Amino acid sequence: MNTAQCKTWDEFTEGIWRQNPVFVMVLGMCPVLAVSVSAVNALSMGLATMFVLVCSCGLVSLLRRMIPKEVRIAVYIVIIATFVTAVDYAIQAISLALYDALGAFIQLIVVNCIILGRAEAHAAKNPPVPAMFNAAGMGIGFTIGLFALGAVREVLGAGTLFGITLFGAGFQPWVIMVLPPGGFFVLGAWLLFFAWLERRKLRRAAPLSEAGQHV
Amino acid sequence: MSESAFQIFVNALLANNFVLAMFLGLCPFLGVSGKLDTAFPMGVATTFVMLVASLCAYGLNLLLTAFHLEFLRLISYIVIIASSVQLVEMVLKKYSPGLFRALGIYLPLITTNCAVLGVALFQTARDYSFVQSVVFAVGGGGGFTLALVLMASVRERLTLSNVPDLAQGTALSLMLAGILSLSFMGFAGLGG
């Protein structure tokens, strides 16, 4: 791999782990918590967001020299809203049940801070290909985060995963997990877990060298 | 419409609180709730934007339905919201520069507050009349302010207490929000 490829790859993986939008940056929380009551919902919401993210970052990046600086945010939002409208109609056509389950949160993808943040911070400064790779990485990271949350909540709250029953008849569902407070608790627990992982890594790296403390 | 205006108000304010039950507007909820004296103005500013957006969205929706342009709904709503945020920003900058600086980046971010767009989208989806829309917007904004103020007061107290530093930051705020949300569940059924 040459340097350019290496950089693109690096920007792609950035969103998946180091800068994970859900667990590290804690952005776009509204759909994350609202939709993650089951693994299927979480996954489809993640994919829908990823589609909008990649398309709008590509378009923003193509138009980056034409957009006047003063009205850039408005332009980005209109671009994002266009793609969201497309996704909204597409999901409605593909699966009405899913459309009802996700409710207004498909349209609310417009105001997901991750997308606007990526458009402003990355796509507006880079050529289309790296911008789309970066967006795809972020989208995958977001989907993973949503799925991690949705799976935990579904397993604990309903005793199922993808609708398949996991436990015997004696299992008492932990209903609070699929209710709103459960979303806050599970996300908090995941963040605690990641903070603990980070701490452990730092403690191991510390005796060896200072260089291990990259953020 | 079977729901009375009062029911809508109570529902939006407490039982279906925008932040704690419907997960709308979490970014400012977690971001600006550090101090009480920024949380309250932020809530009021957001409520004002909600009201303006709701009024405009109501009129706009009539217009869009008349011309069969429903697919433009989302785009036009977001443009309206962005312009009303701009308005609030200019007013604040002129009359209260200190507050303007304190709110910082979160002021323009009201545009991307899901709660504001949420009000506009929900009132359309539920076919609210004009009065119902206004009441819904005020109730929702009030609920948002209430959640923000509660959270800020708890967090102000918390800075004095001894928290394990692993839990410091967002994880702690989320746990707090969970407990607040749990207590708000007690209001379920209040709006009938």
Side-chain angles (χ1 to χ4, degrees), chain A residues 61-163:
Chain A
S61 170
L62 277 175
L63 297 175
R64 68 186 188 281
R65 289 184 219 286
M66 279 178 251
I67 300 174
K69 215 173 165 15
E70 294 78 19
V71 293
R72 65 184 193 288
I73 300 288
V75 174
Y76 299 160
I77 289 229
V78 171
I79 290 176
I80 296 168
T82 312
F83 285 111
V84 172
T85 309
V87 168
D88 189 48
Y89 279 85
I91 294 184
Q92 206 169 352
I94 296 167
S95 162
L96 204 58
L98 186 65
Y99 184 76
D100 288 336
L102 297 181
F105 280 93
I106 305 171
Q107 299 189 336
L108 287 174
I109 294 178
V110 179
V111 284
N112 191 322
C113 342
I114 299 172
I115 303 180
L116 196 62
R118 276 299 97 184
E120 166 83 1
H122 196 277
K125 299 183 189 103
N126 290 284
V129 176
M132 282 168 86
F133 265 106
N134 181 266
M138 282 291 162
I140 294 173
F142 183 67
T143 311
I144 293 175
L146 257 173
F147 178 71
L149 210 63
V152 169
R153 286 180 70 185
E154 195 185 340
V155 168
L156 293 178
T160 59
L161 189 62
F162 292 111

Side-chain angles (χ1 to χ4, degrees), chain A residues 3-14 129-131 133-134:
Chain A
T3 1
Q5 267 175 329
C6 204
K7 192 166 169 282
T8 307
W9 176 250
D10 203 45
E11 283 176 349
F12 175 65
T13 53
E14 170 186 80
V129 176
F133 265 106
N134 181 266

Side-chain angles (χ1 to χ4, degrees), chain A residues 30 33 77 107 111 113 176 180, chain B residues 23 26-27 78 112 114 121 182:
Chain A
C30 315
L33 290 169
I77 289 229
Q107 299 189 336
V111 284
C113 342
I176 191 77
Chain B
F23 300 120
L26 285 178
C27 297
I78 198 78
T112 54
C114 340
L121 288 177
L182 205 57

Side-chain angles (χ1 to χ4, degrees), chain B residues 9-192:
Chain B
F9 181 76
V10 172
N11 255 328
L13 186 68
L14 298 172
N16 280 322
N17 186 286
F18 268 36
V19 180
L20 296 168
M22 288 160 76
F23 300 120
L24 294 171
L26 285 178
C27 297
F29 177 65
L30 296 174
V32 198
S33 63
K35 277 209 312 264
L36 202 53
D37 28 322
T38 50
F40 185 67
M42 182 67 185
V44 174
T46 310
T47 310
F48 177 72
V49 174
M50 267 184 193
L51 190 62
V52 174
S54 155
L55 290 176
C56 298
Y58 182 78
L60 197 68
N61 191 38
L62 288 182
L63 206 66
L64 288 179
T65 323
F67 289 101
H68 299 289
L69 290 170
E70 283 91 351
F71 59 92
L72 283 179
R73 195 180 278 152
L74 193 58
I75 299 181
S76 37
Y77 280 5
I78 198 78
V79 171
I80 281 190
I81 293 173
S83 6
S84 36
V85 170
Q86 200 76 49
L87 184 77
V88 171
E89 206 177 322
M90 287 191 299
V91 170
L92 266 187
K93 200 174 181 176
K94 177 132 173 46
Y95 291 106
S96 172
L99 188 60
F100 179 76
R101 269 196 304 277
L103 292 177
I105 181 72
Y106 288 97
L107 198 56
L109 279 182
I110 297 182
T111 312
T112 54
N113 185 333
C114 340
V116 179
L117 186 60
V119 166
L121 288 177
F122 280 123
Q123 75 179 35
T124 314
R126 295 177 190 169
D127 280 328
Y128 280 164
S129 69
F130 182 74
V131 178
Q132 282 172 322
S133 302
V134 171
V135 169
F136 183 58
V138 175
F144 179 78
T145 314
L146 183 66
L148 211 60
V149 166
L150 280 178
M151 184 72 172
S153 342
V154 178
R155 276 177 71 173
E156 269 191 356
R157 281 293 185 84
L158 217 62
T159 49
L160 301 173
S161 58
N162 193 6
V163 180
D165 53 323
L166 194 62
Q168 223 45 284
T170 325
L172 185 67
S173 314
L174 281 167
M175 292 293 178
L176 275 179
I179 296 170
L180 276 182
S181 164
L182 205 57
S183 50
F184 265 70
M185 277 180 64
F187 293 119
L190 198 65

